[in-house]
Amino acid sequence: MSAPGAVLTRPPVGTAAGDARGGTGHPDPGGPGPGAVLAQIALGLICAGYTTGASLGWGSPRLALFMGDFGLSAAALTAAVSCFLYARAHRGGDRPAWLLFAFSSFMASAGNGVWGWYEVVLRTEVPDSSVADLFFLLFAPPAIVGLLVLAKKPVTRAGWVCLALDAWLIGGSLLTLSWSLALARTARFENEPVAQAALSLAYPLLDIVLVSMVLVLHFRRSQVNRSATNTAIAALALTVLCDALFTSPLLREHYASGQLLDAGWFAGSLLLAYAPWGVRRLPDAATTGRGPLLHSRPVAGSLAALTPYLAAAVCTLGILYNVVEGRSIDRFVVLTGCAVVLALVVRQGIMLLDNIALTHELAQKENHFRSLVQGSSDVIMIAAPTGTLRYVSPAAAGVYGREADELIGTELSSLIHPEDLGAVVHEVRRFLALSPAEEPTTRIECRFSSGRGDWLNVESTVNRHQGGLIFNSRDVTERVRLQAQLQHNAEHDPLTDLPNRALFTRRVRQALGGRRASDQGTAVLFIDLDGFKGVNDRLGHQAGDDLLVQAARRLHESVRSGDTAARLGGDEFAALILGDGGRERAARESQVQEIADRLRLTLSRPYRVDGGTEVRVAASIGVAFAEPGMEAGELLRNADLAMYRAKAAGKDRVELYAPQMQAEVVRRTELAARLRTALHDGEFALLHQPVVDLATGRISAVSAQARWRSAQGILFTPAEFLRVADDGERTAELGRWLLEEAVEQAAERAGIGHRTPVCIRLSARRLLDRSLPLGSVESLLTRHGLPSGSLIVELADSDPRVSLDELEQRLVALRRLGVRISLDGFGSGHMAINALRRLPVDILKLDRGLVEGVVESARLRKITRGVLRIAGELGVQTVAEGVDVPEQVVALRAMGCGHAQGMAFSGPLDEYRLRRALVRDEYPLPGAVPVRAGNRPPFRSNTETPVPPT
């Protein structure tokens, strides 16, 4: 037997599995609760006590009369109150029925009360026709209507006709039998008033109608509150039985209140009082036909079908009784029997027509569903309990490439892919272990063998069918392929097709878990392409994309098959190198270092992009190793820090992560956080370094420099705190503070006679980002009364991204305000010559790199001399920065440099020491005699400075 067949032949839920659950001690949800059990016991004890008292005569005739009359009245009144309270508390569809039962019981209570009034209070016999008879006659009609309310209503006109015919069949047959046995003699009493005879017949006739309704509605009762309905029917049936016995002339002649017959009426009333409350309601699942109800329905249906024939049989027995007794056939019996037979014929005719209509409708529906199945694009298969296919729809030829006849008789397991068979069997077993109400269907997706020799992805909706299964299957191969493609796109870079950051992170997480959790040889490499932005800017994004694709291909080919190469975004790549678990830490680090160096060399080889253009980029690589208990995010962060250390250390190199890198990041983060409030807290101070005229030794200008003395007492230079400042609002705010503070202090010094120009260093990008509007500079100079020519802007080496046209316009506008322009760091940047050619420059400031080696290097002396010669020919003054030793002063002066700034003369000074230096106004020049030049200005004014040719 196949695997699915073994599953399908397992015992159904409710046998072995149900027995196993039944032993767990859980209460049956449909059974009565503890309160209901106690109420049933109390009810049984009360009825048993009353029955015992009635059978023993209650000990005295008077007590027997009291219990037989007022006891029955109290029991009926209890039933009336109980049904009324239930109907008042519950607003369901059966509420009118319980109100009618309450009224019917109240009539019985009133009748017994009147009977007791005559017998117990007045101590006289009850008249033949009294008010009690009226109350008793009003008992049956509301009970009959209440039963109709509780019944399951027919939905068609034929159903209503059949209900009436069934009631007449039962009532007519009972009437025929009763008339033959007793009622005929009752109706023929001589010398008896007509009213008394009618009253004598009314009781049994109403009881016959009530019995008829009880029997008919027993097979048509609604599923709602079924237990309460059954209890109410039993209570009324018991009452009708006692009424039938009471109408018997033999029993009625010797009847007296308090006898055993009253126990039946008493029990019927209490049972009706208990019906709406005492029986626990069945849950919804019980009304759906689960469990034992499935087995009781065929029996109930058979009895309902046999009811008309049983009624005809009872009617026939009534006629046969008269024949056997030798009596003449009563006309009433003949008429009633004929009416019963006619009703049976009519009912059978209606049922025949109904069956013909149902057969026709069934045939139409069968043809309709057959057309749907055969015309459906989905394949419908029915598997037997053995796992063999018993039916396959014609759609199999188009979906599976196999004819339906070819698949019939095939085991289902032979068509499912072996790798998917286990999951299919597990899902089928789980599905069959549940009840149909909990999970009517399930869905299975697997690979299915086709007639074309390939495997199709098939999705099937599975339903139960006579112990087997129905599969409604469809081909979802294209959907599965699309999902796989979408999944691939979501996890891979669209340009290089390498895994993206999300997939790379997940693989790192997998490498750090499971059996590799203790492997410290696993490493992550973060790779950044140095110079890639320049390729993008020079050759365009198409060339940049071509370079990235080639770099990704080289990276993918350089790692091992089990490792992962990924693109994280932009020009950043990464590689996951899995450890082998068999090397020592030092040997593993050496191996990974070697892999990283090989990757660096591979990625640094020339690339041919954009139709053959050769470009070069370098690679900065950071390496981090996994540690026990380390998370994926922590390992990736460590590799990222190592990569940025490699870039900061000069690029085109490999750096291993060290714990102090994280400490430095924390320090820089804290420093940046403190820097945000340093300006507002007054922690910044302004220092000035003198610029000395190398011909006279006098101070020709002062260079303003900011210093940050933090709340912890640490003094930071601009190189330290500008490195952690963001390149945005914070740096702009610092630039504005430096400008305002320097102009204010220069104006104060000019007010006491020190009209020395102040130099302020600003970047080209800051001059163009509108953080320094022209109007603000003019208003600042006007507000503080700073003379023209007293402000020098030192322009840092311009950014390649800055437009020289916009920068030229900006500087020309500043010069009109009397601001002089100094080109800072000349000799180091690639834009220096172009800037000197285009921009209106007054002063040329030599880069510190030219000054540091001017004494030792003959080559640097030649370069510096050439730069000074160019400045002289352009009429631009020169300043050497970073002049720290006397030998540099001598060499620069000999080359023709006009001014110098550095520790050879003075370091940065606070305001007090600066004013003392300005009063002295002279620094000794090594190897020269100071020459005083009077009170001439240290720098020529901008009106005397020729504008360089463009």
Side-chain angles (χ1 to χ4, degrees):
M1 186 182 297
S2 64
V7 174
L8 295 179
T9 53
R10 65 187 300 275
V13 178
T15 55
D19 295 340
R21 286 198 302 269
T24 59
H26 295 293
D28 181 12
V37 173
L38 293 177
Q40 292 173 2
I41 295 174
L43 178 65
L45 292 176
I46 294 174
C47 292
Y50 191 95
T51 303
T52 303
S55 60
L56 298 178
W58 296 104
S60 67
R62 187 166 185 77
L63 181 59
L65 291 176
F66 182 85
M67 294 301 298
D69 295 333
F70 291 112
L72 292 182
S73 178
L77 183 61
T78 302
V81 173
S82 174
C83 293
F84 177 78
L85 293 178
Y86 178 82
R88 186 177 180 182
H90 295 78
R91 302 289 179 178
D94 57 346
R95 181 169 179 258
W98 295 107
L99 288 174
L100 290 169
F101 290 153
F103 180 75
S104 175
S105 299
F106 182 75
M107 292 295 101
S109 174
N112 284 297
V114 172
W115 200 285
W117 175 262
Y118 281 107
E119 288 189 336
V120 177
V121 178
L122 300 180
R123 296 185 180 184
T124 182
E125 291 185 1
V126 181
D128 292 337
S129 298
S130 66
V131 181
D133 294 321
L134 176 63
F135 286 137
F136 286 141
L137 290 176
L138 290 177
F139 166 79
I144 294 171
V145 178
L147 289 174
L148 285 173
V149 173
L150 287 179
K152 183 179 180 181
K153 307 298 185 300
V155 295
T156 62
R157 185 179 301 176
W160 283 106
V161 173
C162 288
L163 175 63
L165 291 175
D166 289 343
W168 167 244
L169 287 172
I170 296 174
S173 60
L174 292 178
L175 179 60
T176 302
L177 185 61
S178 304
W179 189 273
S180 300
L181 294 176
L183 295 182
R185 285 177 288 176
T186 303
R188 295 193 183 101
F189 284 162
E190 297 179 358
N191 302 324
E192 186 175 9
V194 176
Q196 182 63 33
L199 184 61
S200 301
L201 291 175
Y203 284 114
L205 292 178
L206 286 175
D207 286 339
I208 288 174
V209 174
L210 189 56
V211 169
S212 301
M213 297 306 303
V214 167
L215 292 177
V216 171
L217 297 179
H218 174 70
F219 303 110
R220 293 178 177 268
R221 60 189 181 278
S222 174
Q223 299 292 339
V224 180
N225 203 359
R226 188 167 184 176
S227 297
T229 303
N230 288 339
T231 307
I233 290 176
L236 294 175
L238 181 59
T239 303
V240 169
L241 177 62
C242 293
D243 288 346
L245 294 175
F246 177 74
T247 56
S248 173
L250 297 178
L251 183 62
R252 189 172 183 180
E253 292 177 358
H254 305 285
Y255 170 77
S257 297
Q259 292 182 353
L260 191 60
L261 184 61
D262 291 348
W265 283 315
F266 184 84
S269 296
L270 290 188
L271 194 61
L272 184 61
Y274 168 78
W277 304 97
V279 180
R280 185 174 178 178
R281 308 294 168 262
L282 291 177
D284 292 340
T287 64
T288 59
R290 289 174 50 190
L293 294 180
L294 287 173
H295 304 287
S296 63
R297 279 182 175 179
V299 177
S302 300
L303 290 177
L306 291 177
T307 300
Y309 304 101
L310 293 176
V314 170
C315 183
T316 303
L317 288 177
I319 298 175
L320 291 177
Y321 176 79
N322 286 332
V323 174
V324 171
E325 290 292 327
R327 302 175 184 174
S328 61
I329 303 300
D330 196 312
R331 292 182 180 179
F332 183 83
V333 173
V334 173
L335 291 176
T336 305
C338 292
V340 169
V341 172
L342 180 62
L344 180 61
V345 172
V346 173
R347 187 185 185 281
Q348 291 302 107
I350 294 175
M351 294 301 297
L352 179 60
L353 294 176
D354 194 29
N355 288 338
I356 293 174
L358 289 176
T359 303
H360 181 67
E361 182 180 357
L362 181 62
Q364 287 183 335
K365 289 184 177 180
E366 184 178 355
N367 293 332
H368 174 70
F369 285 111
R370 181 180 291 108
S371 300
L372 289 178
V373 170
Q374 293 182 352
S376 174
S377 60
D378 292 351
V379 180
I380 299 175
M381 301 182 297
I382 300 178
T386 59
T388 304
L389 294 177
R390 296 188 309 188
Y391 173 80
V392 179
S393 66
V399 176
Y400 299 147
R402 293 184 174 186
E403 295 296 332
D405 296 338
E406 179 185 349
L407 292 175
I408 295 176
T410 306
E411 286 191 356
L412 189 60
S413 61
S414 64
L415 302 174
I416 300 175
H417 196 283
E419 296 179 1
D420 300 340
L421 183 58
V424 172
V425 172
H426 179 270
E427 176 61 21
V428 171
R429 182 179 291 114
R430 185 200 64 79
F431 174 62
L432 292 177
L434 300 174
S435 66
E438 292 177 286
E439 188 170 350
T441 64
T442 187
R443 190 179 65 86
I444 293 176
E445 188 168 330
C446 63
R447 285 168 289 180
F448 205 85
S449 176
S450 74
R452 296 177 287 270
D454 58 347
W455 294 97
L456 301 176
N457 292 94
V458 175
E459 180 187 68
S460 301
T461 303
V462 185
N463 295 269
R464 300 171 180 83
H465 175 70
Q466 297 179 359
L469 295 174
I470 297 179
F471 293 84
N472 192 345
S473 307
R474 61 205 64 88
D475 183 8
V476 293
T477 304
E478 289 301 322
R479 190 196 71 186
V480 171
R481 290 175 181 171
L482 179 60
Q483 288 177 343
Q485 183 63 41
L486 293 176
Q487 183 71 18
H488 179 85
N489 294 342
E491 296 179 340
H492 289 77
D493 175 57
L495 178 63
T496 63
D497 204 38
L498 290 180
N500 59 14
R501 183 182 294 272
L503 179 57
F504 183 76
T505 303
R506 185 162 68 249
R507 291 187 179 178
V508 171
R509 190 178 296 114
Q510 292 171 355
L512 296 180
R515 61 184 182 87
R516 296 185 179 273
S518 60
D519 187 358
Q520 302 180 24
T522 298
V524 169
L525 280 61
F526 262 46
I527 306 164
D528 185 83
L529 300 181
D530 304 319
F532 171 75
K533 189 177 184 307
V535 175
N536 253 353
D537 293 339
R538 293 197 315 272
L539 302 178
H541 290 283
Q542 182 62 39
D545 290 347
D546 193 8
L547 189 150
L548 289 176
V549 171
Q550 295 183 43
R553 187 182 304 116
R554 293 182 186 182
L555 178 61
H556 180 70
E557 293 172 353
S558 299
V559 298
R560 302 172 302 179
S561 59
D563 299 334
T564 300
R567 183 191 177 202
L568 304 183
D571 60 344
E572 289 188 354
F573 294 85
L576 171 63
I577 309 299
L578 299 177
D580 52 14
R583 292 174 180 258
E584 295 182 356
R585 178 65 178 262
R588 180 60 177 165
E589 289 184 359
S590 176
Q591 181 191 21
V592 174
Q593 178 84 27
E594 180 182 349
I595 294 174
D597 283 329
R598 187 172 67 251
L599 282 176
R600 181 183 62 82
L601 294 174
T602 301
L603 295 174
S604 300
R605 294 201 311 265
Y607 297 86
R608 291 195 174 275
V609 298
D610 198 17
T613 303
E614 183 176 294
V615 295
R616 287 179 178 270
V617 294
S620 297
I621 302 178
V623 182
F625 286 91
E627 300 289 344
M630 180 177 287
E631 297 292 337
E634 185 179 358
L635 180 58
L636 296 176
R637 182 202 62 196
N638 293 347
D640 197 19
L641 290 176
M643 184 266 289
Y644 278 105
R645 172 58 65 89
K647 293 178 71 68
K651 303 180 179 180
D652 193 18
R653 57 187 294 134
V654 177
E655 285 285 343
L656 295 179
Y657 170 78
Q660 57 266 27
M661 294 181 183
Q662 178 63 21
E664 182 181 348
V665 170
V666 173
R667 174 181 173 275
R668 290 181 60 185
T669 303
E670 294 176 350
L671 192 63
R674 293 202 302 267
L675 180 62
R676 294 186 181 97
T677 59
L679 275 175
H680 301 287
D681 295 343
E683 297 181 5
F684 274 90
L686 192 63
L687 303 181
H688 295 83
Q689 188 174 27
V691 179
V692 179
D693 190 334
L694 294 181
T696 64
R698 297 187 62 192
I699 300 176
S700 58
V702 292
S703 178
Q705 300 176 9
R707 292 292 186 273
W708 175 26
R709 186 179 299 279
S710 68
Q712 290 76 20
I714 303 174
L715 188 67
F716 297 99
T717 64
E720 292 176 304
F721 62 75
L722 288 178
R723 211 170 39 238
V724 301
D726 54 2
D727 199 20
E729 181 182 355
R730 202 65 53 200
T731 307
E733 185 179 1
L734 181 60
R736 289 192 295 269
W737 175 87
L738 178 63
L739 179 62
E740 294 179 2
E741 193 73 13
V743 170
E744 182 180 359
Q745 292 187 15
E748 291 178 358
R749 290 193 298 270
I752 59 176
H754 302 300
R755 302 183 60 180
T756 306
V758 60
C759 304
I760 302 174
R761 190 174 188 273
L762 294 173
S763 67
R765 194 150 51 91
R766 287 292 164 219
L767 285 173
L768 294 178
D769 68 355
R770 305 306 177 188
S771 64
L772 189 65
L774 287 176
S776 66
V777 176
E778 185 178 16
S779 63
L780 184 64
L781 297 176
T782 303
R783 184 169 68 249
H784 294 288
L786 192 65
S788 177
S790 298
L791 177 62
I792 302 172
V793 173
E794 293 182 358
L795 184 66
D797 184 19
S798 58
D799 193 323
R801 296 170 292 181
V802 174
S803 171
L804 286 180
D805 293 334
E806 294 183 12
L807 184 59
E808 181 181 4
Q809 296 174 8
R810 180 71 163 149
L811 294 179
V812 169
L814 288 175
R815 291 188 76 207
R816 293 197 187 101
L817 300 176
V819 179
R820 284 182 283 175
I821 309 300
S822 172
L823 188 60
D824 189 25
F826 188 83
S828 63
H830 67 280
M831 294 289 292
I833 298 299
N834 195 24
L836 183 61
R837 183 178 67 86
R838 297 281 304 276
L839 303 179
V841 177
D842 299 304
I843 303 167
L844 196 64
K845 199 167 188 178
L846 300 182
D847 184 74
R848 185 182 295 268
L850 294 177
V851 176
E852 287 178 350
V854 75
V855 177
E856 298 83 2
S857 173
R859 187 180 183 86
L860 274 181
R861 283 198 298 273
K862 292 179 181 180
I863 296 174
T864 304
R865 187 178 292 111
V867 172
L868 293 172
R869 186 182 303 115
I870 293 173
E873 291 177 357
L874 293 175
V876 178
Q877 294 186 3
T878 55
V879 177
E881 184 180 12
V883 181
D884 297 332
V885 294
E887 291 81 4
Q888 294 173 342
V889 176
V890 174
L892 290 169
R893 188 176 59 187
M895 294 177 192
C897 184
H899 304 80
Q901 169 187 347
M903 297 302 295
F905 304 104
S906 172
L909 303 175
D910 58 20
E911 187 66 19
Y912 173 74
R913 291 183 176 84
L914 175 62
R915 293 187 180 185
R916 288 183 58 186
L918 291 175
V919 171
R920 187 173 64 250
D921 195 21
E922 182 180 4
Y923 285 98
L925 297 174
V929 179
V931 179
R932 293 188 179 274
N935 201 22
R936 66 177 177 82
F939 284 117
R940 286 182 295 175
S941 66
N942 60 321
T943 58
E944 300 171 352
T945 303
V947 177
T950 58

